Amino acid sequence: MTEITSRRFEYTEATLDRADLGRDPIAQFQTWLAEAAAAGTREPQAMTLATAGTDGAPSARVVLLRGVDERGFTWYTNRASLKGRDLAANPRAALVFYWELLQRQVRISGDVAVIPEDESAAYFAARPRQSRLSAWASPQGQVLPGRAALEAATRAMDERYPEEVPLPPFWGGYRLSPEAIEFWQGRRSRMHDRFRYLLDGDGWRIDRLAP
């Protein structure tokens, strides 16, 4: 067995108290996201997306948040991918954001739904042309004989769509409607501050959790 060793360091950047939190967890998340960007985080919208299929086997990967509002958290992907197949079978997921510079993380869980096609089409149209061609060309997650096959498929799509690149029928967005959102602030001696918003009727209950 390989033993993993690392330099221990203390979390000393900030504290988190109940009085620091607003009543709306979405607004609180938007504040933290903006602060992560202002602190110099290169990809503050990067999040771990965890899904599971009907067999219960978990699967996780890092994707990019593309929208957040009162409806929830939105991202886009190939729906024929493993995550798309998982969500078709079990439309629930968990998200994790980790912002090292601020020593913060946010954990989110809830139901997931496919967003309306017009929203997916509008986002897809705003992507760079090469990204749109790649969405058509890539059989995401499937075995490839080599990179040349992927590049050839992309060139073929470029020839097929010399002008506008339409939305692929297998590609689009998902939105997670949160049931629980936890805000975590690292503290000295691993005595972290953790607060969880839990959906309770038409509002949110806020609890402090043990680190």
Side-chain angles (χ1 to χ4, degrees), residues 147-193:
R147 185 172 181 83
L150 183 61
E151 293 173 346
T154 304
R155 289 194 298 271
M157 288 298 129
D158 194 21
E159 294 173 2
R160 180 178 177 182
Y161 300 114
E163 297 180 2
E164 289 301 313
V165 183
L167 176 70
F170 51 81
W171 196 96
Y174 293 91
R175 181 174 292 116
L176 184 149
S177 299
E179 297 174 357
I181 304 181
E182 178 189 325
F183 294 85
W184 180 101
Q185 176 67 62
R187 293 291 302 274
R188 187 180 296 276
S189 301
R190 301 311 192 253
M191 294 288 284
H192 311 307
D193 289 324

Side-chain angles (χ1 to χ4, degrees), residues 3 16 43 97-98 124 127 136 142 156 161 163 177:
E3 184 174 340
L16 183 63
E43 290 275 21
F97 293 83
Y98 178 60
F124 189 78
R127 299 181 88 200
W136 274 98
Q142 297 183 29
Y161 300 114
E163 297 180 2
S177 299

Side-chain angles (χ1 to χ4, degrees), residues 58-193:
S59 180
R61 74 290 289 162
V62 175
V63 300
L64 296 180
L65 177 72
R66 291 307 190 189
V68 56
D69 57 25
E70 69 281 357
R71 298 171 298 173
F73 298 78
T74 301
W75 66 94
Y76 296 85
T77 190
N78 184 320
R79 292 187 180 135
S81 64
L82 175 59
K83 55 187 171 296
R85 299 194 304 272
D86 278 355
L87 291 170
N90 177 22
R92 291 185 59 79
L95 309 174
V96 179
F97 293 83
Y98 178 60
W99 299 307
E100 180 182 6
L101 295 176
L102 298 179
Q103 299 174 353
R104 289 174 173 174
Q105 65 175 307
V106 179
R107 301 172 62 213
I108 306 158
S109 59
D111 292 335
V112 178
V114 172
I115 70 172
E117 186 172 344
D118 60 339
E119 288 187 50
S120 291
Y123 172 76
F124 189 78
R127 299 181 88 200
R129 175 178 174 80
Q130 196 61 38
S131 295
R132 285 177 280 159
L133 293 172
S134 297
W136 274 98
S138 175
Q140 192 175 102
Q142 297 183 29
V143 175
L144 285 174
R147 185 172 181 83
L150 183 61
E151 293 173 346
T154 304
R155 289 194 298 271
M157 288 298 129
D158 194 21
E159 294 173 2
R160 180 178 177 182
Y161 300 114
E163 297 180 2
E164 289 301 313
V165 183
L167 176 70
F170 51 81
W171 196 96
Y174 293 91
R175 181 174 292 116
L176 184 149
S177 299
E179 297 174 357
I181 304 181
E182 178 189 325
F183 294 85
W184 180 101
Q185 176 67 62
R187 293 291 302 274
R188 187 180 296 276
S189 301
R190 301 311 192 253
M191 294 288 284
H192 311 307
D193 289 324

